[in-house]
């Protein structure tokens, strides 16, 4: 069964619990979403609060994918640019599909829904994201139409002696 996507879902405790559970499970499964396992929801909560603040201020939009039970199964955050010379593109952050749903094509569905959401934003012509080298996500994003446009070697330190490239990718929407 396909996920049901919603841009800017109604907030509240259930959404918060769902996003925190997803983020925790993805992180602990080795997902490159800003944390290194092991983590708890309490470790992630400050980052979630920062995202909530950005959403409340109109600087970020949340895209949620719900499974057939109405549970948060996937997310992506679209961050708007405040710089007047860069308002024609958005950042895509914290792209996650729950590990129990991986391998079903939901990642591609999420990326397509994110592109559709960005196309619906006034004046947006492209999506930019970064990903951690050594995870294979760059190949996944490339298969979704993104092109590598830059790379900073060793910019991400996962652990002592484990530095990864920070890979910048772009998807033109026109």
């Amino acid at each position: 069964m396909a996920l049901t996507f919603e841009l800017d879902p109604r907030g509240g405790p259930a959404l918060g619990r769902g996003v925190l559970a997803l983020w925790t499970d993805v992180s602990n499964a080795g997902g490159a979403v800003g944390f290194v396992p092991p983590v708890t929801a309490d470790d992630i909560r400050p980052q979630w609060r920062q995202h909530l603040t950005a959403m409340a201020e109109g600087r970020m939009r949340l895209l949620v994918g719900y499974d057939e039970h109405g549970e948060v199964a996937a997310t992506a955050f679209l961050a708007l640019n405040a710089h007047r010379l860069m308002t024609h593109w958005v950042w895509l952050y914290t792209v996650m599909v729950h590990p129990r749903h991986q391998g079903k094509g939901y990642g591609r569905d999420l990326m397509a829904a994110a592109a559709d959401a960005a196309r619906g934003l006034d004046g947006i012509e492209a999506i930019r994201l970064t990903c951690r080298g050594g995870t294979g996500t760059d190949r996944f994003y490339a298969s979704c139409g993104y092109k590598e446009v830059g790379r900073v070697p060793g910019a991400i330190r996962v652990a002592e002696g484990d530095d990864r490239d920070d890979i910048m990718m772009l998807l033109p929407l026109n």
Side-chain angles (χ1 to χ4, degrees):
M1 178 163 215
L3 298 182
T4 302
F5 292 98
E6 183 178 4
L7 182 64
D8 302 326
R10 184 174 174 194
L15 177 64
R17 284 189 302 273
V19 172
L20 283 171
L22 171 66
W23 208 334
T24 302
D25 291 347
V26 168
S27 296
N28 286 328
V33 290
F35 295 90
V36 176
V39 296
T40 67
D42 287 337
D43 297 323
I44 294 169
R45 190 170 282 107
Q47 188 67 46
W48 169 237
R49 285 186 183 130
Q50 287 180 5
H51 281 36
L52 285 171
T53 298
M55 289 185 296
E57 294 173 351
R59 297 181 288 117
M60 186 174 283
R61 310 284 294 271
L62 171 60
L63 177 66
V64 175
Y66 296 97
D67 66 15
E68 65 273 12
H69 305 291
E71 295 181 20
V72 175
T75 63
F77 293 86
L78 292 97
L80 305 173
N81 282 300
H83 193 286
R84 66 187 167 278
L85 301 179
M86 297 182 189
T87 58
H88 60 288
W89 58 270
V90 295
W91 283 103
L92 190 62
Y93 289 116
T94 321
V95 176
M96 300 184 283
V97 173
H98 196 281
R100 75 174 166 266
H101 292 300
Q102 292 182 1
K104 300 176 183 178
Y106 292 166
R108 282 191 196 290
D109 294 345
L110 176 61
M111 297 306 291
D116 288 344
R119 283 185 190 96
L121 301 175
D122 191 37
I124 299 302
E125 300 172 9
I127 301 173
R128 187 171 164 187
L129 61 78
T130 64
C131 59
R132 183 187 304 171
T135 63
T137 54
D138 54 324
R139 289 188 305 277
F140 168 72
Y141 292 130
S143 75
C144 294
Y146 285 76
K147 303 288 184 225
E148 182 175 328
V149 294
R151 182 180 289 252
V152 181
I156 300 170
R157 180 156 292 158
V158 177
E160 192 61 39
D162 187 4
D163 294 348
R164 309 285 180 89
D165 292 356
D166 186 14
I167 304 168
M168 291 156 275
M169 304 189 81
L170 182 76
L171 177 71
L173 295 173
N174 45 14

